[in-house]
Amino acid sequence: MTPATHTAQGMALRPYQREALDAIDARLAAGKRRIVVVLPTGTGKSLLAAQLPQQLGTPLLLLTHREELLDQHIEHMQLSNPALCIGIAQADRHATGTEDLGLASLPTLVAVGSRRLERFKAVPWAGIVVDEVHHAAAKTWRELLENLGCFSDAPPPLVGWTATPSRGDGIGLHTIFEEIAYQRSLREMIDDGWCADIRAYTIHTDVNLDAVHVRHGDFVDGELAGTVNTPGRNTLLVEAWRRLAERRRTLVFCANVLHAEAVAISFQRAGIHAEPFTQKLPKDLRKSRLAAFRDGRIPILTSVGILTEGYDDPPLSCL
């Protein structure tokens, strides 16, 4: 194992980030092979992951479940490891398996008939990193990690990152990982001055959710959307935004595509630039719309299940 420099390219790591890297070293030195780091949203988990090529060695494989998160990791990896060759396995991007760093999306590696998994299985990985690791207890993730040798007699180190170690379906991460190597809570990070405190507002409506069923700890999307997607409630949302959050770049979480489109239209009718951001959009439009949101040309996105966990956007200030 090569020692960590504990320095990101062009910036020093924060004390808790150095502690997390030291904890990874200590637990791997103690013989653990599958460990988790738990840090809240906004504390730089992507930056930490970008230090692992120095910490664990190469070739290193990073796995995630969504294209937008993969692109974020590419940016951090390139900044922190400019001399290393990076290969990407996602859709029409084809890593060869010979690069120093492999970044791959789960859907690409587990796709029926995909040859990329066979190629990656043959690589002697110095370490494997899983982003948003609370997904890893799912059957597809478990099978992928088994195929990559994470449960073999001589497994590569497996390091997972997450802000939410609990799962809605009740399946524990202990089925995959041996222990949490390092953990800090959101309250701790706010109290220590690393995260902004949260200002929350309740907007009362006449919508009643009593008839909406709950599955795995969450409302059933279709039932929820049918209940909350009303003209009156969407208009009230726009009025509340104007009163409490105007001029703040805003991400609106919606229940389904129709809800996202309807909320965007409600903002547009009030003269406010908002656009929906959903899987329904063509890939190129999704990419350009996200770029416009990140640089401030679109102040509001109404999103469905994409810009949720792991989304990295420091200037974003209202949800």
Side-chain angles (χ1 to χ4, degrees), residues 138-172:
K139 184 173 182 290
T140 49
W141 273 104
R142 171 84 192 202
E143 291 176 351
L144 174 59
L145 295 176
E146 287 176 348
N147 276 311
L148 292 171
C150 294
F151 301 94
S152 65
D153 292 335
L158 176 65
V159 180
W161 308 89
T162 185
T164 53
S166 59
R167 287 171 55 92
D169 59 10
I171 300 175

PDB file of all heavy atoms in Angstrom, residues 138-172:
ATOM      1  N   ALA A 138     -27.952  -4.428  -2.567  1.00  0.00           N
ATOM      2  CA  ALA A 138     -28.897  -4.919  -3.575  1.00  0.00           C
ATOM      3  C   ALA A 138     -28.279  -6.081  -4.347  1.00  0.00           C
ATOM      4  O   ALA A 138     -27.061  -6.193  -4.472  1.00  0.00           O
ATOM      5  CB  ALA A 138     -29.274  -3.789  -4.538  1.00  0.00           C
ATOM      6  N   LYS A 139     -29.138  -6.935  -4.886  1.00  0.00           N
ATOM      7  CA  LYS A 139     -28.680  -8.167  -5.532  1.00  0.00           C
ATOM      8  C   LYS A 139     -27.692  -7.887  -6.671  1.00  0.00           C
ATOM      9  O   LYS A 139     -26.671  -8.560  -6.803  1.00  0.00           O
ATOM     10  CB  LYS A 139     -29.892  -8.946  -6.054  1.00  0.00           C
ATOM     11  CG  LYS A 139     -29.574 -10.301  -6.668  1.00  0.00           C
ATOM     12  CD  LYS A 139     -30.876 -11.041  -6.987  1.00  0.00           C
ATOM     13  CE  LYS A 139     -30.592 -12.420  -7.567  1.00  0.00           C
ATOM     14  NZ  LYS A 139     -30.023 -12.357  -8.921  1.00  0.00           N
ATOM     15  N   THR A 140     -27.997  -6.901  -7.519  1.00  0.00           N
ATOM     16  CA  THR A 140     -27.125  -6.621  -8.664  1.00  0.00           C
ATOM     17  C   THR A 140     -25.743  -6.163  -8.204  1.00  0.00           C
ATOM     18  O   THR A 140     -24.725  -6.557  -8.787  1.00  0.00           O
ATOM     19  CB  THR A 140     -27.741  -5.543  -9.570  1.00  0.00           C
ATOM     20  OG1 THR A 140     -28.164  -4.432  -8.756  1.00  0.00           O
ATOM     21  CG2 THR A 140     -28.932  -6.087 -10.343  1.00  0.00           C
ATOM     22  N   TRP A 141     -25.704  -5.324  -7.173  1.00  0.00           N
ATOM     23  CA  TRP A 141     -24.415  -4.864  -6.657  1.00  0.00           C
ATOM     24  C   TRP A 141     -23.646  -6.030  -6.053  1.00  0.00           C
ATOM     25  O   TRP A 141     -22.441  -6.164  -6.256  1.00  0.00           O
ATOM     26  CB  TRP A 141     -24.625  -3.767  -5.610  1.00  0.00           C
ATOM     27  CG  TRP A 141     -24.725  -2.390  -6.168  1.00  0.00           C
ATOM     28  CD1 TRP A 141     -25.858  -1.651  -6.318  1.00  0.00           C
ATOM     29  CD2 TRP A 141     -23.663  -1.571  -6.646  1.00  0.00           C
ATOM     30  NE1 TRP A 141     -25.564  -0.422  -6.852  1.00  0.00           N
ATOM     31  CE2 TRP A 141     -24.219  -0.346  -7.058  1.00  0.00           C
ATOM     32  CE3 TRP A 141     -22.282  -1.748  -6.752  1.00  0.00           C
ATOM     33  CZ2 TRP A 141     -23.451   0.696  -7.579  1.00  0.00           C
ATOM     34  CZ3 TRP A 141     -21.515  -0.710  -7.262  1.00  0.00           C
ATOM     35  CH2 TRP A 141     -22.099   0.489  -7.671  1.00  0.00           C
ATOM     36  N   ARG A 142     -24.317  -6.840  -5.249  1.00  0.00           N
ATOM     37  CA  ARG A 142     -23.656  -7.975  -4.601  1.00  0.00           C
ATOM     38  C   ARG A 142     -23.030  -8.903  -5.651  1.00  0.00           C
ATOM     39  O   ARG A 142     -21.875  -9.327  -5.515  1.00  0.00           O
ATOM     40  CB  ARG A 142     -24.678  -8.750  -3.759  1.00  0.00           C
ATOM     41  CG  ARG A 142     -24.178 -10.074  -3.197  1.00  0.00           C
ATOM     42  CD  ARG A 142     -23.435  -9.901  -1.923  1.00  0.00           C
ATOM     43  NE  ARG A 142     -22.723 -11.121  -1.537  1.00  0.00           N
ATOM     44  CZ  ARG A 142     -22.339 -11.398  -0.305  1.00  0.00           C
ATOM     45  NH1 ARG A 142     -22.597 -10.547   0.671  1.00  0.00           N
ATOM     46  NH2 ARG A 142     -21.677 -12.503  -0.032  1.00  0.00           N
ATOM     47  N   GLU A 143     -23.792  -9.202  -6.687  1.00  0.00           N
ATOM     48  CA  GLU A 143     -23.272 -10.089  -7.730  1.00  0.00           C
ATOM     49  C   GLU A 143     -22.081  -9.466  -8.451  1.00  0.00           C
ATOM     50  O   GLU A 143     -21.104 -10.154  -8.788  1.00  0.00           O
ATOM     51  CB  GLU A 143     -24.388 -10.417  -8.728  1.00  0.00           C
ATOM     52  CG  GLU A 143     -25.478 -11.307  -8.132  1.00  0.00           C
ATOM     53  CD  GLU A 143     -26.626 -11.539  -9.095  1.00  0.00           C
ATOM     54  OE1 GLU A 143     -26.654 -10.861 -10.156  1.00  0.00           O
ATOM     55  OE2 GLU A 143     -27.489 -12.373  -8.789  1.00  0.00           O
ATOM     56  N   LEU A 144     -22.126  -8.152  -8.696  1.00  0.00           N
ATOM     57  CA  LEU A 144     -21.015  -7.474  -9.355  1.00  0.00           C
ATOM     58  C   LEU A 144     -19.755  -7.547  -8.489  1.00  0.00           C
ATOM     59  O   LEU A 144     -18.666  -7.861  -8.987  1.00  0.00           O
ATOM     60  CB  LEU A 144     -21.377  -6.014  -9.636  1.00  0.00           C
ATOM     61  CG  LEU A 144     -20.253  -5.133 -10.207  1.00  0.00           C
ATOM     62  CD1 LEU A 144     -19.734  -5.700 -11.518  1.00  0.00           C
ATOM     63  CD2 LEU A 144     -20.733  -3.701 -10.385  1.00  0.00           C
ATOM     64  N   LEU A 145     -19.891  -7.279  -7.194  1.00  0.00           N
ATOM     65  CA  LEU A 145     -18.732  -7.310  -6.302  1.00  0.00           C
ATOM     66  C   LEU A 145     -18.176  -8.725  -6.175  1.00  0.00           C
ATOM     67  O   LEU A 145     -16.958  -8.913  -6.072  1.00  0.00           O
ATOM     68  CB  LEU A 145     -19.119  -6.745  -4.933  1.00  0.00           C
ATOM     69  CG  LEU A 145     -19.495  -5.254  -4.930  1.00  0.00           C
ATOM     70  CD1 LEU A 145     -19.959  -4.830  -3.545  1.00  0.00           C
ATOM     71  CD2 LEU A 145     -18.324  -4.393  -5.391  1.00  0.00           C
ATOM     72  N   GLU A 146     -19.055  -9.715  -6.206  1.00  0.00           N
ATOM     73  CA  GLU A 146     -18.583 -11.101  -6.201  1.00  0.00           C
ATOM     74  C   GLU A 146     -17.777 -11.397  -7.462  1.00  0.00           C
ATOM     75  O   GLU A 146     -16.712 -12.027  -7.410  1.00  0.00           O
ATOM     76  CB  GLU A 146     -19.773 -12.056  -6.081  1.00  0.00           C
ATOM     77  CG  GLU A 146     -20.412 -12.075  -4.697  1.00  0.00           C
ATOM     78  CD  GLU A 146     -21.635 -12.964  -4.650  1.00  0.00           C
ATOM     79  OE1 GLU A 146     -22.117 -13.381  -5.730  1.00  0.00           O
ATOM     80  OE2 GLU A 146     -22.121 -13.240  -3.530  1.00  0.00           O
ATOM     81  N   ASN A 147     -18.272 -10.942  -8.606  1.00  0.00           N
ATOM     82  CA  ASN A 147     -17.568 -11.151  -9.876  1.00  0.00           C
ATOM     83  C   ASN A 147     -16.205 -10.474  -9.900  1.00  0.00           C
ATOM     84  O   ASN A 147     -15.282 -10.937 -10.592  1.00  0.00           O
ATOM     85  CB  ASN A 147     -18.417 -10.650 -11.042  1.00  0.00           C
ATOM     86  CG  ASN A 147     -19.424 -11.675 -11.523  1.00  0.00           C
ATOM     87  OD1 ASN A 147     -19.072 -12.827 -11.748  1.00  0.00           O
ATOM     88  ND2 ASN A 147     -20.669 -11.273 -11.671  1.00  0.00           N
ATOM     89  N   LEU A 148     -16.061  -9.379  -9.169  1.00  0.00           N
ATOM     90  CA  LEU A 148     -14.798  -8.641  -9.142  1.00  0.00           C
ATOM     91  C   LEU A 148     -13.852  -9.169  -8.067  1.00  0.00           C
ATOM     92  O   LEU A 148     -12.791  -8.579  -7.827  1.00  0.00           O
ATOM     93  CB  LEU A 148     -15.069  -7.151  -8.926  1.00  0.00           C
ATOM     94  CG  LEU A 148     -15.774  -6.444 -10.095  1.00  0.00           C
ATOM     95  CD1 LEU A 148     -16.194  -5.037  -9.699  1.00  0.00           C
ATOM     96  CD2 LEU A 148     -14.886  -6.404 -11.335  1.00  0.00           C
ATOM     97  N   GLY A 149     -14.245 -10.244  -7.399  1.00  0.00           N
ATOM     98  CA  GLY A 149     -13.352 -10.896  -6.449  1.00  0.00           C
ATOM     99  C   GLY A 149     -13.348 -10.343  -5.051  1.00  0.00           C
ATOM    100  O   GLY A 149     -12.440 -10.665  -4.256  1.00  0.00           O
ATOM    101  N   CYS A 150     -14.347  -9.535  -4.696  1.00  0.00           N
ATOM    102  CA  CYS A 150     -14.351  -8.894  -3.381  1.00  0.00           C
ATOM    103  C   CYS A 150     -14.621  -9.867  -2.236  1.00  0.00           C
ATOM    104  O   CYS A 150     -14.425  -9.504  -1.058  1.00  0.00           O
ATOM    105  CB  CYS A 150     -15.377  -7.760  -3.352  1.00  0.00           C
ATOM    106  SG  CYS A 150     -14.946  -6.383  -4.443  1.00  0.00           S
ATOM    107  N   PHE A 151     -15.079 -11.074  -2.548  1.00  0.00           N
ATOM    108  CA  PHE A 151     -15.347 -12.070  -1.508  1.00  0.00           C
ATOM    109  C   PHE A 151     -14.473 -13.317  -1.703  1.00  0.00           C
ATOM    110  O   PHE A 151     -14.774 -14.380  -1.176  1.00  0.00           O
ATOM    111  CB  PHE A 151     -16.827 -12.448  -1.509  1.00  0.00           C
ATOM    112  CG  PHE A 151     -17.736 -11.276  -1.267  1.00  0.00           C
ATOM    113  CD1 PHE A 151     -18.276 -10.563  -2.324  1.00  0.00           C
ATOM    114  CD2 PHE A 151     -18.022 -10.860   0.022  1.00  0.00           C
ATOM    115  CE1 PHE A 151     -19.095  -9.472  -2.107  1.00  0.00           C
ATOM    116  CE2 PHE A 151     -18.832  -9.763   0.256  1.00  0.00           C
ATOM    117  CZ  PHE A 151     -19.371  -9.065  -0.809  1.00  0.00           C
ATOM    118  N   SER A 152     -13.394 -13.159  -2.447  1.00  0.00           N
ATOM    119  CA  SER A 152     -12.472 -14.267  -2.704  1.00  0.00           C
ATOM    120  C   SER A 152     -11.535 -14.445  -1.510  1.00  0.00           C
ATOM    121  O   SER A 152     -11.585 -13.695  -0.532  1.00  0.00           O
ATOM    122  CB  SER A 152     -11.681 -14.009  -3.981  1.00  0.00           C
ATOM    123  OG  SER A 152     -10.847 -12.872  -3.810  1.00  0.00           O
ATOM    124  N   ASP A 153     -10.653 -15.427  -1.597  1.00  0.00           N
ATOM    125  CA  ASP A 153      -9.699 -15.672  -0.515  1.00  0.00           C
ATOM    126  C   ASP A 153      -8.665 -14.554  -0.397  1.00  0.00           C
ATOM    127  O   ASP A 153      -8.128 -14.307   0.683  1.00  0.00           O
ATOM    128  CB  ASP A 153      -8.984 -17.012  -0.743  1.00  0.00           C
ATOM    129  CG  ASP A 153      -9.919 -18.198  -0.600  1.00  0.00           C
ATOM    130  OD1 ASP A 153     -10.933 -18.055   0.109  1.00  0.00           O
ATOM    131  OD2 ASP A 153      -9.640 -19.247  -1.207  1.00  0.00           O
ATOM    132  N   ALA A 154      -8.366 -13.887  -1.503  1.00  0.00           N
ATOM    133  CA  ALA A 154      -7.407 -12.774  -1.482  1.00  0.00           C
ATOM    134  C   ALA A 154      -8.045 -11.562  -2.176  1.00  0.00           C
ATOM    135  O   ALA A 154      -7.644 -11.174  -3.282  1.00  0.00           O
ATOM    136  CB  ALA A 154      -6.112 -13.172  -2.173  1.00  0.00           C
ATOM    137  N   PRO A 155      -9.038 -10.942  -1.543  1.00  0.00           N
ATOM    138  CA  PRO A 155      -9.803  -9.875  -2.202  1.00  0.00           C
ATOM    139  C   PRO A 155      -9.048  -8.555  -2.225  1.00  0.00           C
ATOM    140  O   PRO A 155      -8.225  -8.276  -1.342  1.00  0.00           O
ATOM    141  CB  PRO A 155     -11.043  -9.759  -1.318  1.00  0.00           C
ATOM    142  CG  PRO A 155     -10.541 -10.124   0.051  1.00  0.00           C
ATOM    143  CD  PRO A 155      -9.522 -11.199  -0.180  1.00  0.00           C
ATOM    144  N   PRO A 156      -9.313  -7.731  -3.222  1.00  0.00           N
ATOM    145  CA  PRO A 156      -8.775  -6.366  -3.195  1.00  0.00           C
ATOM    146  C   PRO A 156      -9.498  -5.568  -2.112  1.00  0.00           C
ATOM    147  O   PRO A 156     -10.645  -5.887  -1.772  1.00  0.00           O
ATOM    148  CB  PRO A 156      -9.118  -5.822  -4.589  1.00  0.00           C
ATOM    149  CG  PRO A 156     -10.340  -6.590  -4.987  1.00  0.00           C
ATOM    150  CD  PRO A 156     -10.166  -7.966  -4.400  1.00  0.00           C
ATOM    151  N   PRO A 157      -8.864  -4.547  -1.526  1.00  0.00           N
ATOM    152  CA  PRO A 157      -9.569  -3.701  -0.567  1.00  0.00           C
ATOM    153  C   PRO A 157     -10.823  -3.084  -1.208  1.00  0.00           C
ATOM    154  O   PRO A 157     -10.767  -2.614  -2.353  1.00  0.00           O
ATOM    155  CB  PRO A 157      -8.545  -2.620  -0.211  1.00  0.00           C
ATOM    156  CG  PRO A 157      -7.224  -3.226  -0.536  1.00  0.00           C
ATOM    157  CD  PRO A 157      -7.458  -4.127  -1.714  1.00  0.00           C
ATOM    158  N   LEU A 158     -11.922  -3.119  -0.490  1.00  0.00           N
ATOM    159  CA  LEU A 158     -13.184  -2.536  -0.956  1.00  0.00           C
ATOM    160  C   LEU A 158     -13.553  -1.413  -0.005  1.00  0.00           C
ATOM    161  O   LEU A 158     -13.730  -1.641   1.200  1.00  0.00           O
ATOM    162  CB  LEU A 158     -14.281  -3.596  -0.987  1.00  0.00           C
ATOM    163  CG  LEU A 158     -15.687  -3.120  -1.364  1.00  0.00           C
ATOM    164  CD1 LEU A 158     -15.724  -2.612  -2.798  1.00  0.00           C
ATOM    165  CD2 LEU A 158     -16.710  -4.245  -1.175  1.00  0.00           C
ATOM    166  N   VAL A 159     -13.637  -0.191  -0.530  1.00  0.00           N
ATOM    167  CA  VAL A 159     -13.944   0.989   0.285  1.00  0.00           C
ATOM    168  C   VAL A 159     -15.234   1.612  -0.227  1.00  0.00           C
ATOM    169  O   VAL A 159     -15.352   1.913  -1.424  1.00  0.00           O
ATOM    170  CB  VAL A 159     -12.804   2.021   0.239  1.00  0.00           C
ATOM    171  CG1 VAL A 159     -13.147   3.234   1.107  1.00  0.00           C
ATOM    172  CG2 VAL A 159     -11.494   1.394   0.698  1.00  0.00           C
ATOM    173  N   GLY A 160     -16.188   1.785   0.663  1.00  0.00           N
ATOM    174  CA  GLY A 160     -17.468   2.381   0.282  1.00  0.00           C
ATOM    175  C   GLY A 160     -17.659   3.737   0.929  1.00  0.00           C
ATOM    176  O   GLY A 160     -17.177   3.989   2.040  1.00  0.00           O
ATOM    177  N   TRP A 161     -18.398   4.614   0.221  1.00  0.00           N
ATOM    178  CA  TRP A 161     -18.698   5.962   0.729  1.00  0.00           C
ATOM    179  C   TRP A 161     -20.204   6.173   0.736  1.00  0.00           C
ATOM    180  O   TRP A 161     -20.895   5.769  -0.209  1.00  0.00           O
ATOM    181  CB  TRP A 161     -18.088   7.032  -0.182  1.00  0.00           C
ATOM    182  CG  TRP A 161     -16.638   6.847  -0.464  1.00  0.00           C
ATOM    183  CD1 TRP A 161     -16.095   6.124  -1.483  1.00  0.00           C
ATOM    184  CD2 TRP A 161     -15.545   7.374   0.270  1.00  0.00           C
ATOM    185  NE1 TRP A 161     -14.728   6.172  -1.425  1.00  0.00           N
ATOM    186  CE2 TRP A 161     -14.366   6.938  -0.361  1.00  0.00           C
ATOM    187  CE3 TRP A 161     -15.448   8.178   1.407  1.00  0.00           C
ATOM    188  CZ2 TRP A 161     -13.100   7.283   0.103  1.00  0.00           C
ATOM    189  CZ3 TRP A 161     -14.185   8.524   1.861  1.00  0.00           C
ATOM    190  CH2 TRP A 161     -13.033   8.083   1.221  1.00  0.00           C
ATOM    191  N   THR A 162     -20.707   6.803   1.762  1.00  0.00           N
ATOM    192  CA  THR A 162     -22.135   7.113   1.781  1.00  0.00           C
ATOM    193  C   THR A 162     -22.420   8.159   2.850  1.00  0.00           C
ATOM    194  O   THR A 162     -21.648   8.326   3.796  1.00  0.00           O
ATOM    195  CB  THR A 162     -22.992   5.858   2.049  1.00  0.00           C
ATOM    196  OG1 THR A 162     -24.386   6.189   1.935  1.00  0.00           O
ATOM    197  CG2 THR A 162     -22.729   5.289   3.441  1.00  0.00           C
ATOM    198  N   ALA A 163     -23.536   8.859   2.679  1.00  0.00           N
ATOM    199  CA  ALA A 163     -24.059   9.738   3.729  1.00  0.00           C
ATOM    200  C   ALA A 163     -25.198   9.055   4.473  1.00  0.00           C
ATOM    201  O   ALA A 163     -25.613   9.511   5.536  1.00  0.00           O
ATOM    202  CB  ALA A 163     -24.544  11.058   3.128  1.00  0.00           C
ATOM    203  N   THR A 164     -25.712   7.961   3.900  1.00  0.00           N
ATOM    204  CA  THR A 164     -26.900   7.299   4.450  1.00  0.00           C
ATOM    205  C   THR A 164     -26.660   5.799   4.523  1.00  0.00           C
ATOM    206  O   THR A 164     -27.007   5.067   3.592  1.00  0.00           O
ATOM    207  CB  THR A 164     -28.132   7.587   3.566  1.00  0.00           C
ATOM    208  OG1 THR A 164     -27.808   7.245   2.194  1.00  0.00           O
ATOM    209  CG2 THR A 164     -28.527   9.047   3.627  1.00  0.00           C
ATOM    210  N   PRO A 165     -26.064   5.301   5.611  1.00  0.00           N
ATOM    211  CA  PRO A 165     -25.742   3.879   5.680  1.00  0.00           C
ATOM    212  C   PRO A 165     -26.933   2.959   5.859  1.00  0.00           C
ATOM    213  O   PRO A 165     -26.810   1.753   5.678  1.00  0.00           O
ATOM    214  CB  PRO A 165     -24.812   3.792   6.899  1.00  0.00           C
ATOM    215  CG  PRO A 165     -25.183   4.971   7.738  1.00  0.00           C
ATOM    216  CD  PRO A 165     -25.573   6.053   6.772  1.00  0.00           C
ATOM    217  N   SER A 166     -28.110   3.496   6.198  1.00  0.00           N
ATOM    218  CA  SER A 166     -29.297   2.646   6.359  1.00  0.00           C
ATOM    219  C   SER A 166     -30.074   2.584   5.056  1.00  0.00           C
ATOM    220  O   SER A 166     -30.068   3.518   4.260  1.00  0.00           O
ATOM    221  CB  SER A 166     -30.196   3.192   7.467  1.00  0.00           C
ATOM    222  OG  SER A 166     -30.607   4.513   7.169  1.00  0.00           O
ATOM    223  N   ARG A 167     -30.747   1.443   4.833  1.00  0.00           N
ATOM    224  CA  ARG A 167     -31.529   1.226   3.625  1.00  0.00           C
ATOM    225  C   ARG A 167     -33.007   1.132   3.969  1.00  0.00           C
ATOM    226  O   ARG A 167     -33.382   0.598   5.009  1.00  0.00           O
ATOM    227  CB  ARG A 167     -31.102  -0.077   2.934  1.00  0.00           C
ATOM    228  CG  ARG A 167     -29.760  -0.019   2.251  1.00  0.00           C
ATOM    229  CD  ARG A 167     -29.314  -1.381   1.779  1.00  0.00           C
ATOM    230  NE  ARG A 167     -30.305  -2.023   0.914  1.00  0.00           N
ATOM    231  CZ  ARG A 167     -30.337  -1.931  -0.406  1.00  0.00           C
ATOM    232  NH1 ARG A 167     -29.447  -1.207  -1.034  1.00  0.00           N
ATOM    233  NH2 ARG A 167     -31.266  -2.563  -1.101  1.00  0.00           N
ATOM    234  N   GLY A 168     -33.858   1.603   3.061  1.00  0.00           N
ATOM    235  CA  GLY A 168     -35.293   1.551   3.280  1.00  0.00           C
ATOM    236  C   GLY A 168     -35.857   0.152   3.324  1.00  0.00           C
ATOM    237  O   GLY A 168     -36.885  -0.099   3.956  1.00  0.00           O
ATOM    238  N   ASP A 169     -35.201  -0.807   2.647  1.00  0.00           N
ATOM    239  CA  ASP A 169     -35.725  -2.173   2.630  1.00  0.00           C
ATOM    240  C   ASP A 169     -35.247  -3.005   3.812  1.00  0.00           C
ATOM    241  O   ASP A 169     -35.565  -4.193   3.915  1.00  0.00           O
ATOM    242  CB  ASP A 169     -35.352  -2.882   1.315  1.00  0.00           C
ATOM    243  CG  ASP A 169     -33.848  -2.969   1.092  1.00  0.00           C
ATOM    244  OD1 ASP A 169     -33.086  -2.651   2.028  1.00  0.00           O
ATOM    245  OD2 ASP A 169     -33.446  -3.358  -0.012  1.00  0.00           O
ATOM    246  N   GLY A 170     -34.464  -2.397   4.708  1.00  0.00           N
ATOM    247  CA  GLY A 170     -34.051  -3.093   5.919  1.00  0.00           C
ATOM    248  C   GLY A 170     -32.853  -4.009   5.763  1.00  0.00           C
ATOM    249  O   GLY A 170     -32.390  -4.604   6.738  1.00  0.00           O
ATOM    250  N   ILE A 171     -32.320  -4.164   4.549  1.00  0.00           N
ATOM    251  CA  ILE A 171     -31.143  -5.006   4.341  1.00  0.00           C
ATOM    252  C   ILE A 171     -29.906  -4.248   4.818  1.00  0.00           C
ATOM    253  O   ILE A 171     -29.641  -3.142   4.375  1.00  0.00           O
ATOM    254  CB  ILE A 171     -30.977  -5.398   2.859  1.00  0.00           C
ATOM    255  CG1 ILE A 171     -32.203  -6.170   2.366  1.00  0.00           C
ATOM    256  CG2 ILE A 171     -29.714  -6.238   2.664  1.00  0.00           C
ATOM    257  CD1 ILE A 171     -32.169  -6.479   0.889  1.00  0.00           C
ATOM    258  N   GLY A 172     -29.171  -4.846   5.741  1.00  0.00           N
ATOM    259  CA  GLY A 172     -28.040  -4.156   6.335  1.00  0.00           C
ATOM    260  C   GLY A 172     -26.790  -4.233   5.479  1.00  0.00           C
ATOM    261  O   GLY A 172     -26.568  -5.206   4.756  1.00  0.00           O
TER     262      GLY A 172
END
